[in-house]
């Protein structure tokens, strides 16, 4: 399993082994049942939102277009992580090849970054809708929407590729056991040998760039939104304006809170159990929040979902 190159003492592993939730051995059946249930609900809900938005002409607006792409991105993100995590809960340990680990890291990082940029785009959409409602249709035209979505996905892939290259240009000469349930950057980086300070700095800078750039757009958008809402004379008008942003703002707080805690902190503060708990939050819980929040708090989505169920019942 070991491959030695040249005269160095570095050991290059052909693959890795996920230890998963090995420290929670007795809880594996319970965790499997819980995570499987949450994953099925997440997968079904996100796919259903995509289908409903596609079929209901009343939802063919920029806001719901961006929501459908966010649901698509969340679905792809979970597909690359959770099935393997569930398998590791059953088997205990699970092998993954060197290339397979790099591919998983690339796609998980890419979709995670794409989510950040899509949330920024959705914040910009709410800014235009509230601060320039008379020009909303002309400014948020199909061409601009397509460009914003395309830029979000392309940027996500580029940042994901950068993070993967920063990690996998290193030799791995320590234990090949990953103290995690997927190939995330912190646990894989901890297995690299030699001086990893530059790689740690590279990951930190890339993470900062993704989070700060996207969050800055959101912060600026909501600063302008707040100023516009405060200028509305009636309390009812202010509540109505803010209600259109509440769902997006809730998802932003959860998403950026988890991401910042995981990737914007020193390597010395890593903790296996705590990091796995946070990772479960943003890989299992956060993707579930998207459909739940937008379905429960959005009247248009509630109406579309109700109509879809009624059509389903009538067709039987």
């Amino acid at each position: 399993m070991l491959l030695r190159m040249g005269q160095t003492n570095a050991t290059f592993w052909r693959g890795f082994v996920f230890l998963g939730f090995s420290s929670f051995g007795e809880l594996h059946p319970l965790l499997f049942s819980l995570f499987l249930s949450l994953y099925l609900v997440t997968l079904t809900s996100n796919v259903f939102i995509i289908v409903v938005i596609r079929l209901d002409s009343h939802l063919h607006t920029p806001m719901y277009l961006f929501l459908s792409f966010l649901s698509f991105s969340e679905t792809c993100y979970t597909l690359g992580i959770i099935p393997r995590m569930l398998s590791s809960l059953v088997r205990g340990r699970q092998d993954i090849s060197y290339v397979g680990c790099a591919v998983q890291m690339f796609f998980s990082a890419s979709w995670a970054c794409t989510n950040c940029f899509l949330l920024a785009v959705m914040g910009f959409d709410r800014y235009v809708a509230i601060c320039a409602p008379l020009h909303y249709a002309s400014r948020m035209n199909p061409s601009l929407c397509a460009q914003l979505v395309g830029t979000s996905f392309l940027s996500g892939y580029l940042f994901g590729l950068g993070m993967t290259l920063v990690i996998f240009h290193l030799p791995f000469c320590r234990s090949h056991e990953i103290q995690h349930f997927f190939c995330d950057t912190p646990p894989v980086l901890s297995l690299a040998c030699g001086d990893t300070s530059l790689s740690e700095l590279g990951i930190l800078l890339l993470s900062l760039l993704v989070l700060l750039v996207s969050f800055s757009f959101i912060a600026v958008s909501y600063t302008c939104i707040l100023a516009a809402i405060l200028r509305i004379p009636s309390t009812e008008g202010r509540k109505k304006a803010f209600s259109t942003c509440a769902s997006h703002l809730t998802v932003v707080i959860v998403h950026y809170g988890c991401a910042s805690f995981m990737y914007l902190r020193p390597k010395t503060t890593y903790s296996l159990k705590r990091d796995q708990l946070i990772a479960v939050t943003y890989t299992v819980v956060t993707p579930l929040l998207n459909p739940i929040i937008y379905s429960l708090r959005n009247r248009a989505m509630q109406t579309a979902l109700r109509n879809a169920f009624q059509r389903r019942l009538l067709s039987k």
Side-chain angles (χ1 to χ4, degrees):
M1 191 172 181
L2 305 181
L3 176 65
R4 298 191 179 279
M5 300 182 65
Q7 301 299 318
T8 67
N9 292 325
T11 303
F12 295 80
W13 297 99
R14 295 183 186 275
F16 301 94
V17 176
F18 293 123
L19 296 185
F21 298 91
S22 57
S23 58
F24 303 93
E26 296 180 355
L27 297 177
H28 278 194
L30 177 61
L31 292 175
F32 176 83
S33 300
L34 176 61
F35 293 156
L36 177 61
S37 300
L38 291 174
Y39 177 57
L40 292 177
V41 173
T42 300
L43 186 61
T44 303
S45 301
N46 277 307
V47 171
F48 196 63
I49 281 181
I50 295 171
V51 173
V52 168
I53 292 175
R54 176 68 180 84
L55 297 180
D56 195 320
S57 59
H58 296 95
L59 300 180
H60 292 177
T61 63
M63 174 182 173
Y64 296 104
L65 169 71
F66 299 141
L67 175 58
S68 66
F69 277 106
L70 180 63
S71 293
F72 173 75
S73 180
E74 293 280 21
T75 300
C76 294
Y77 177 72
T78 56
L79 277 173
I81 297 175
I82 298 182
R84 186 178 285 274
M85 179 188 74
L86 293 172
S87 176
S88 67
L89 283 171
V90 174
R91 298 173 57 185
R93 292 165 59 99
Q94 188 176 65
D95 299 337
I96 186 172
S97 66
Y98 182 90
V99 173
C101 187
V103 169
Q104 186 185 52
M105 180 180 292
F106 166 69
F107 281 110
S108 62
S110 296
W111 293 118
C113 293
T114 299
N115 290 342
C116 290
F117 295 125
L118 285 174
L119 288 171
V121 168
M122 294 173 74
F124 174 73
D125 172 74
R126 292 299 82 205
Y127 155 73
V128 177
I130 293 176
C131 298
L134 298 179
H135 303 284
Y136 180 74
S138 60
R139 291 185 180 180
M140 299 303 295
N141 56 73
S143 176
L144 177 61
C145 292
Q147 292 174 16
L148 291 173
V149 171
T151 301
S152 297
F153 278 84
L154 179 60
S155 300
Y157 293 150
L158 291 177
F159 277 103
L161 179 62
M163 291 181 180
T164 304
L165 292 177
V166 166
I167 298 293
F168 281 90
H169 85 283
L170 296 169
F172 293 92
C173 56
R174 300 176 186 172
S175 170
H176 62 299
E177 297 178 335
I178 299 178
Q179 302 284 338
H180 210 40
F181 54 85
F182 76 103
C183 287
D184 202 4
T185 51
V188 176
L189 180 60
S190 67
L191 301 182
C193 59
D195 184 8
T196 62
S197 57
L198 286 179
S199 295
E200 292 175 37
L201 179 61
I203 291 295
L204 178 61
L205 291 177
L206 287 172
S207 301
L208 276 171
L209 193 57
V210 172
L211 294 174
L212 291 184
V213 168
S214 58
F215 189 76
S216 294
F217 276 103
I218 295 173
V220 170
S221 296
Y222 273 100
T223 299
C224 296
I225 288 172
L226 180 60
I229 290 176
L230 292 176
R231 289 195 296 267
I232 298 175
S234 66
T235 303
E236 186 64 27
R238 289 195 292 269
K239 288 182 178 179
K240 184 177 180 180
F242 183 76
S243 66
T244 65
C245 306
S247 300
H248 175 257
L249 195 57
T250 303
V251 174
V252 165
I253 292 172
V254 175
H255 181 86
Y256 281 89
C258 293
S260 299
F261 182 83
M262 280 299 296
Y263 300 108
L264 301 184
R265 60 197 175 95
K267 181 180 177 182
T268 54
T269 64
Y270 294 160
S271 167
L272 172 60
K273 292 186 177 181
R274 183 182 58 193
D275 288 0
Q276 283 190 330
L277 179 61
I278 298 297
V280 166
T281 300
Y282 69 77
T283 56
V284 180
V285 179
T286 302
L288 179 60
L289 289 177
N290 174 35
I292 289 179
I293 291 173
Y294 277 98
S295 298
L296 294 180
R297 297 188 60 89
N298 190 285
R299 290 183 179 179
M301 278 299 303
Q302 291 174 5
T303 301
L305 291 171
R306 185 165 53 251
N307 292 339
F309 277 119
Q310 290 175 351
R311 288 194 297 268
R312 177 73 174 175
L313 292 174
L314 291 175
S315 64
K316 291 184 178 181

